[in-house]
Amino acid sequence: MNSIELTAIISFAFLASIGHCVGMCGGFIMTYTMAKVKPTASKVTQSLYHLSYNLGRVFTYTILGAFFGYFGSLWEINPLARSIMFTVAGILMVVMGLSFAGKLRFLNSIEIPIGNYSWFKRIFTYQMNSGNKSSFFVLGMLNGLFPCGLVYTMLVTATTTSSAFYGALVMFVFGIFTIPTLFTFAFVISLFSGQKFRSFMIQFAALTVIIFGIWTIYKAYLQFDYWYNTNKEAEKIESAQMKFGPAMKCAPGKCGMGKCGSKK
C-alpha cells in the first residue's frame, strides 16, 4: 500500500463519513445514546462510551479486512490473475462511486438490512439492555456488520492488497478516520443536520472513490503489461532455443573447430 492509496483511503473515510455514515449509523448512535448513556454522566464518561463503540466498529472492520485480504492472496498466482482482480475491483469502485453520487442505484440492491436476522436482533437487544460497559464495544462490533457501500468499497480495496495484514490495515485506517465524525455526531447532532453540506461531502467522497477506481484499473493495466511482455520475452527465448538448439557446455580446452560456436 503506497502513499497515494493511503491518502485516498483517509480522504474517502473522512469525507464520506460526514455525508454517508451519519445517515447510515446516526440512528443507531442516537438509539444507544438515549437508551444507555445517562445525561447526568460526566462528559469524560460519555466520551469513553462513544469511543468504546467506535473502537468496536474498527475492530470488526479490521477483522473483515484481514479476511478479504487473505482471500485476495489466493489470486496471487501470476500477474495476469492480479490484473483481472484489479480490473474487477477498479470497475466496482467506479460503479460504487457513481452510486454514491446518485447516478446509479447499485448500492440499494446490495445493502441488505442485517437487522432483519433473528441472531442479530437477539444480540442487539441483549447488549442494549446490558449495564456492562463492554456492551458499547459489542454494539460497535455489531454496527460494523451493517451493510454499507463505504465498507464494501474498502473491502474491495483490502482484497487487492493480497495480504491479510495489509487488508486489515486498510480497514483499520478506514475505520479510524470515520471516528471523528461519528464521535462528534454523538455530542453535537446539529452540526451534521444540514442536507446541503452532507450532500456536498458525499459527492466529494464519490469523486474520490471514482478516482481511486481508475487508479486501480491503471494498476491492472501495469500488471497485464508486465505479464504480456514477460510472456513475449519467454516466447523469444524458447523460439531461439528451438532454432539453434540448447547451449552446449565444454570442458576447458576441449572445444574444437565448429564446436560450441568456436571459430578456432
Side-chain angles (χ1 to χ4, degrees):
M1 186 168 61
N2 57 39
S3 59
I4 294 177
E5 294 168 336
L6 185 61
T7 301
I9 292 170
I10 293 173
S11 301
F12 174 60
F14 183 72
L15 295 171
S17 64
I18 297 175
H20 190 76
C21 291
V22 168
M24 286 288 294
C25 304
F28 189 94
I29 294 172
M30 292 177 66
T31 299
Y32 85 71
T33 299
M34 290 186 291
K36 296 174 65 66
V37 181
K38 297 179 180 179
T40 55
S42 68
K43 292 298 182 182
V44 173
T45 300
Q46 292 184 42
S47 296
L48 290 175
Y49 289 158
H50 293 307
L51 181 61
S52 179
Y53 154 78
N54 279 289
L55 291 178
R57 282 192 310 108
V58 175
F59 178 79
T60 297
Y61 294 158
T62 303
I63 296 301
L64 290 173
F67 176 79
F68 276 82
Y70 172 74
F71 174 75
S73 69
L74 303 179
W75 286 74
E76 198 168 15
I77 303 170
N78 56 49
L80 178 60
R82 286 183 60 77
S83 176
I84 294 172
M85 184 179 70
F86 280 139
T87 300
V88 173
I91 291 173
L92 281 175
M93 288 178 193
V94 172
V95 170
M96 287 181 181
L98 292 173
S99 186
F100 287 139
K103 305 301 181 182
L104 297 174
R105 297 183 60 83
F106 175 70
L107 290 178
N108 293 339
S109 62
I110 60 176
E111 290 185 340
I112 304 171
I114 195 172
N116 294 339
Y117 292 96
S118 58
W119 65 267
F120 185 92
K121 289 180 180 179
R122 285 197 302 270
I123 299 174
F124 175 77
T125 302
Y126 178 80
Q127 295 301 325
M128 284 294 291
N129 295 325
S130 173
N132 197 318
K133 294 178 181 179
S134 64
S135 61
F136 290 94
F137 185 86
V138 178
L139 285 171
M141 290 175 60
L142 291 174
N143 195 179
L145 295 174
F146 275 19
C148 172
L150 303 186
V151 176
Y152 293 159
T153 302
M154 287 297 98
L155 287 177
V156 170
T157 304
T159 305
T160 63
T161 65
S162 299
S163 163
F165 173 78
Y166 283 109
L169 182 60
V170 165
M171 295 306 293
F172 176 78
V173 171
F174 165 73
I176 288 294
F177 280 89
T178 60
I179 288 180
T181 298
L182 294 181
F183 184 83
T184 305
F185 174 81
F187 288 98
V188 193
I189 297 173
S190 61
L191 289 178
F192 303 95
S193 60
Q195 188 60 39
K196 289 184 178 179
F197 177 67
R198 286 181 54 196
S199 177
F200 173 76
M201 286 296 128
I202 199 64
Q203 293 293 327
F204 203 175
L207 180 61
T208 303
V209 175
I210 293 171
I211 293 173
F212 195 21
I214 293 172
W215 165 256
T216 303
I217 293 172
Y218 175 68
K219 290 201 300 182
Y221 163 75
L222 293 178
Q223 288 289 326
F224 178 80
D225 185 62
Y226 175 78
W227 170 82
Y228 180 79
N229 289 327
T230 300
N231 273 16
K232 279 293 183 180
E233 190 65 28
E235 288 177 3
K236 288 179 182 179
I237 295 173
E238 185 178 350
S239 177
Q241 287 180 342
M242 291 179 64
K243 184 175 181 179
F244 299 105
M248 297 178 62
K249 294 184 178 180
C250 298
K254 299 296 184 181
C255 284
M257 188 67 173
K259 295 179 181 179
C260 302
S262 174
K263 302 275 186 178
K264 296 182 181 179

